[in-house]
Amino acid sequence: MSSSTQVSGTGVVAPPDSTGISIIVVGGGFGGLSCAIECKRKGHSVVVLERVPGLHIQGDVISFGPNAGRIIQRWGLHDKIWELCRHVDKLVLHNYLGEIVREQPLPLPLWGAWGYDGHRAEMHQVIYEYAVSLGIDVRFGYTVQEYYEDDAGSKAGVRVEAKGEVVSMEADLVVAADGVKSKARKYILGYDDKPRSSGYAVYRAWFNGQEQGVDTDPLTDYLTKGEDAFFGWIGRDVHFLASSAKGGKEISWVITRKNDFEVTDNWSFPGKMEDVLAVVDGWEPRCAATLAKAPSCIDWKLIIHDPLPTWISKSARVVLIGDAAHPFLPTSMQGGSQAIEDGVVLAVALQLAGKDNLPLAVQAWEKIRYLRVRESQLIGEDVRNRWHRCQPGDRGPMLDVPRPEWLFAFDAEVNAYEVFESVARDIRENGYNRPVLPPELAP
Ligand SMILES: Cc1cc2nc3c(=O)[nH]c(=O)nc-3n(C[C@H](O)[C@H](O)[C@H](O)COP(=O)(O)OP(=O)(O)OC[C@H]3O[C@@H](n4cnc5c(N)ncnc54)[C@H](O)[C@@H]3O)c2cc1C
């Protein structure tokens, strides 16, 4: 096939609506928007339904590894996103007394791709604008209340509330990217999967460093010396990360500590500064000084779900992606990246299987994604455990944030084109079975 007629392949944008597959994406976070973008690029028709009335500034620092950066670059968004991000080449890690225990080099690009650490809302805006530029119909103020599939298993639909009315919308596939509090999860599983407390919570903040006097205080100006910085402190089942972006102007910090809490419908609360400062009582003075500069902060309880037995409905016409399927601990720095990979792989699988084999596409997609997601998730627990169980003499690379080749050098789109046919053949020949975790990856 000549390149002028090529409609399929890594980075190739297929003619609009060329596959005839219609998709409703529920949720316009990174997972939902990325899925919509890739579905559009692969020739499917897609609409995004988002509950909130419009884009708004929410969240603070979020990370995308080179595995997601590779996709973002393919969309041509590197320059726009990079200018919003923290530009550092190392993490300077201390013990709580302020002795440097490791300077971890963080070279970028890594395995041919950039990684991004920046403000969630700013990066989200760039991705949203790209989605709109592709002609994707993103509807704000649409709250999905219910999911269904028809008896023949040939259509899926949602009952959605918008502008005071409840209407039904149908498509070949419904992708639920509705986040950690997913409503679709119960529809898929047939029972309420209760989240659990991880036993940890974070205080987090993002603010303008100059307005808060970070640059004029000798205890905090380490973050604002004309360039960005990334510092960390570890001790007594706590770790504290502080960094700056945009030439040291914008500051963010996250401090993770043990916290027993009951899981309720809400796990994000305003943080009280006296409680925050109590966590670093007796620590090197730069820690309290940096924390105290924030005008406000959030107390974000870290909840976890055991791996779900499946991400797809019985008729394989409703699927969970992103946090709805597999929430991540922040220490994995992969929640957003894996949500992006989910959408990329799903779009390829649908393109290769075609409209008449849509359940096969979805089943193969789950099989391709399931173990990789779980392995990425476990990185979060590994980093937290190594830092929080750190002994006074621990130093050096044993404290590094992992940047493994299997995770960061991976190209989800290339891989999906490579492995789809053999995975699909296996399902055709042997039937579909729910994924099984090997013992070493089980919770
Ligand atoms: C407000 C907010 C702030 C966040 N802040 C941070 C942060 O600072 N740092 C960090 O690392 N991660 C943060 N996260 C999580 C991070 O964005 C995700 O872990 C990651 O990007 C995966 O995204 P996702 O699209 O799967 O889920 P999410 O980003 O949670 O997106 C889910 C989307 O679905 C929408 N939705 C939910 N229910 C419905 C419904 N019934 N109908 C229609 N739409 C619905 C939600 O409004 C939301 O926009 C935040 C998430 C949110 C929603």
Side-chain angles (χ1 to χ4, degrees), residues 26-32 49-52 58-62 120 142-144 177-180 183 204 300 321-324 335-336 339:
V26 180
F30 286 103
L49 307 178
E50 168 54 55
R51 176 177 60 184
V52 300
Q58 272 201 309
D60 42 75
V61 69
I62 191 168
R120 179 185 180 275
Y142 280 67
T143 303
V144 169
D178 55 344
V180 73
K183 239 196 171 95
R204 53 198 307 164
W300 179 287
I321 69 166
D323 279 8

Side-chain angles (χ1 to χ4, degrees), residues 21-40 44-50 142 144 146-149 155-158 169-179 182-185 187-188 311-313 316-326 338-348 350 358 361-362 365:
I21 297 173
S22 60
I23 300 169
I24 295 169
V25 175
V26 180
F30 286 103
L33 286 183
S34 303
C35 179
I37 288 168
E38 277 301 314
C39 285
K40 182 80 181 173
H44 318 313
S45 89
V46 59
V47 56
V48 179
L49 307 178
E50 168 54 55
Y142 280 67
V144 169
E146 205 182 315
Y147 295 79
Y148 62 87
E149 286 153 291
K155 281 277 172 204
V158 290
M169 293 175 68
E170 293 192 345
D172 296 317
L173 180 70
V174 173
V175 177
D178 55 344
S182 170
K183 239 196 171 95
R185 200 184 293 129
Y187 174 78
I188 302 268
W311 303 335
I312 65 184
S313 65
R317 298 254 168 200
V318 181
V319 302
L320 301 172
I321 69 166
D323 279 8
H326 43 67
Q338 292 301 318
I340 290 179
E341 285 193 9
D342 279 347
V344 169
V345 177
L346 183 59
V348 171
L350 292 167
L358 193 139
V362 167
W365 163 79

Side-chain angles (χ1 to χ4, degrees), residues 204-207 212 214 253 273 288-297:
R204 53 198 307 164
W206 182 294
F207 53 98
Q212 297 302 120
V214 173
W253 54 246
M273 190 48 74
T290 308
L291 291 164
K293 287 285 187 285
S296 64
C297 71

